Amino acid sequence: MAKTPSPCIDVCKFKREGHCIGCSMTKAQKSMFKSLKKESHRVGFVQMLTAQQERLGKYSHWDLAYRKKLAKRKIAAEKLL
């Protein structure tokens, strides 16, 4: 099974109260994701992030961009989103 890729969609502009306008992660969350080794932790992080995006709003563009990233790596989006 392929490793879950970072939720980052290469926008990296931290404007919304410290959250990236592309993926909603804070700088601390980006660092944390990089340190996650277990696949279950990486999947859980992505699920937490999608809940965070729903709470914050204005992140509907992320879902499509991340699904494209997953498809490119032949990873089923259903296991994450």
Side-chain angles (χ1 to χ4, degrees):
M1 177 169 65
K3 192 165 131 178
T4 300
S6 169
C8 178
I9 57 170
D10 300 323
V11 174
C12 300
K13 300 239 187 270
F14 297 89
K15 293 186 177 184
R16 295 183 183 146
E17 299 174 8
H19 293 270
C20 175
I21 63 172
C23 64
S24 86
M25 286 193 286
T26 62
K27 289 181 181 180
Q29 287 173 325
K30 282 187 180 258
S31 295
M32 180 189 305
F33 185 83
K34 290 176 185 177
S35 71
L36 298 176
K37 302 297 180 215
K38 289 186 176 184
E39 184 61 17
S40 61
H41 293 170
R42 294 171 73 89
V43 169
F45 185 94
V46 172
Q47 292 170 344
M48 175 278 305
L49 191 66
T50 56
Q52 175 176 293
Q53 291 169 349
E54 287 178 24
R55 183 177 46 82
L56 293 171
K58 299 182 183 178
Y59 288 96
S60 58
H61 62 279
W62 176 85
D63 187 64
L64 179 61
Y66 194 61
R67 285 178 186 273
K68 285 181 182 178
K69 188 175 190 177
L70 294 172
K72 200 176 213 183
R73 296 179 182 181
K74 296 179 174 47
I75 299 171
E78 291 74 35
K79 82 169 196 164
L80 296 170
L81 308 173

